[in-house]
Amino acid sequence: MSFKRGRRVAPILLSVAISWGCNSTSETGGGPASQPANANAETAKKALRPDAEGFIPSGTGTEKEKPAPGAANVQGKALYNGQPAAGVEVKLCEKFNRFLGGCGGETFTAKTDAAGEYLIKDVPPGIYEGLIVKVFDTDYYVFATAGVVSSAKYRVEEGRTFFAPDTNLYKQDLKLTSPKAGSKVAPSSIEVKWEQYPDAAYYKLSVHADNSSGAKTDYDYINRRVDGLSFPLDKPLAPGTYTVRVEAYNGADNRLSQSPNDIKFTVAGDAAK
C-alpha cells in the first residue's frame, strides 16, 4: 500500500476524547450479557496501554510485508461497529501537539483497505508522537491508543513491524431533540432526549458546566449510563450555560456515535446568587 510523507502541518480537529477528556468510571458495563465483551475489551486495553514513559507497546500479528532494509513498517486496523472501516486515512506523526496544529514534523499517511487494514511502509526508525485515524469524511481523527483519552508515543524499530491497537471509529450524528441548542430552560424539570441510534445497546449522557457563567458541574450527570432515549435531571441546575452530549454504544461497548460538541443551553436565573 502506498504512503505519502511530508512536513506540512495541517490543523485538525480531534475526537472528543481530547476536547472533553471524559475518563469517568461512574457508569460502566451492562448486564450479564455484556460481561464477556467487557472482559475482553479490558484485557486488550491492559495489553496496549502506555507504559511508564508513555509508549504504546507493539501488539502481535502477521506482517503484510517485510520492512525494507534500514526501515520499519506500521500496521493496524480501523473498525466501525465491529466491521472494517474501508478507505479512511491514517497518519503517523513524528511530532504531535493536541492544542497547536496536531500532526507535525515528518508525517506518513496511508488508507485502509477493504478489510479496514492499513500498512505504512518504509518508516525511518525512531519515536513518533501520534498515530491517528480519520473519522470517515469528517475533519475529526481518533487516536490509535486502545481507549486512551490522549495521544501516546510509539517506538518504531528498524527491521520490525509495529502492530498498532485496533481503532474503533465513531460518528457525530446522534440527534438530540431536547434541550435545543441555544435554548433557555428553567432550573428544574429538565429532560434530555435524543433519537434512537441504529445498533445502539445503551447510551451515556454528560452535562458539562461552563463555570465562568455561574453554572456548576453535577458529577451525577457526567458519563451517566442510560438504557432508554431520555433522562430526566432529577436535581435543579444552577443558573448558567451548559453543554450536553449523548453517546451511543453497541453491545460490545464500542462507541457508535455522539451528539455534536456544540449543543449548549442556558438555565435561566441570576447566576450571581
Side-chain angles (χ1 to χ4, degrees), residues 125-157:
I127 294 172
Y128 292 83
E129 296 182 354
L131 180 59
I132 56 178
V133 183
K134 192 172 185 179
V135 183
F136 302 106
D137 57 353
T138 72
D139 292 326
Y140 290 85
Y141 290 77
V142 296
F143 295 116
T145 52
V148 180
V149 298
S150 63
S151 58
K153 295 182 289 186
Y154 307 81
R155 184 179 285 109
V156 178
E157 300 178 348

Side-chain angles (χ1 to χ4, degrees), residues 36-56:
N38 290 340
N40 292 339
E42 198 59 31
T43 299
K45 289 180 182 179
K46 287 180 179 178
L48 292 170
R49 281 174 177 160
D51 61 19
E53 298 180 8
F55 286 92
I56 292 284

Side-chain angles (χ1 to χ4, degrees), residues 112-224:
T112 58
D113 61 19
E117 298 177 348
Y118 60 87
L119 174 63
I120 305 175
K121 301 191 298 184
D122 303 336
V123 175
I127 294 172
Y128 292 83
E129 296 182 354
L131 180 59
I132 56 178
V133 183
K134 192 172 185 179
V135 183
F136 302 106
D137 57 353
T138 72
D139 292 326
Y140 290 85
Y141 290 77
V142 296
F143 295 116
T145 52
V148 180
V149 298
S150 63
S151 58
K153 295 182 289 186
Y154 307 81
R155 184 179 285 109
V156 178
E157 300 178 348
E158 180 178 349
R160 302 184 65 179
T161 293
F162 181 94
F163 291 95
D166 289 350
T167 303
N168 288 291
L169 301 180
Y170 54 91
K171 301 179 182 180
Q172 287 195 312
D173 56 355
L174 187 148
K175 294 181 180 179
L176 284 173
T177 58
S178 180
K180 299 288 188 181
S183 63
K184 292 185 178 180
V185 301
S188 302
S189 302
I190 300 171
E191 186 170 11
V192 182
K193 300 179 181 179
W194 54 93
E195 293 184 5
Q196 184 172 356
Y197 200 83
D199 296 326
Y202 65 94
Y203 301 86
K204 287 188 179 181
L205 165 74
S206 292
V207 179
H208 289 266
D210 177 358
N211 298 122
S212 66
S213 71
K216 297 180 181 179
T217 299
D218 188 326
Y219 290 98
D220 284 344
Y221 303 146
I222 302 295
N223 213 28
R224 182 69 179 257

Side-chain angles (χ1 to χ4, degrees), residues 78-85 136 168-171 197 255-257:
L79 304 168
Y80 175 73
N81 195 17
Q83 300 300 312
F136 302 106
N168 288 291
L169 301 180
Y170 54 91
K171 301 179 182 180
Y197 200 83
R255 193 177 345 178
L256 299 174
S257 182

Side-chain angles (χ1 to χ4, degrees), residues 12-22 135 138-142 170-176 181-182 206-208 241-247 255 257-265:
I12 61 174
L13 295 173
L14 295 173
S15 73
V16 296
I18 297 174
S19 59
W20 287 67
C22 288
V135 183
T138 72
D139 292 326
Y140 290 85
Y141 290 77
V142 296
Y170 54 91
K171 301 179 182 180
Q172 287 195 312
D173 56 355
L174 187 148
K175 294 181 180 179
L176 284 173
S206 292
V207 179
H208 289 266
T241 301
Y242 295 83
T243 303
V244 60
R245 186 188 70 194
V246 176
E247 303 167 326
R255 193 177 345 178
S257 182
Q258 65 186 36
S259 55
N261 293 334
D262 57 354
I263 306 298
K264 296 184 178 184
F265 66 95

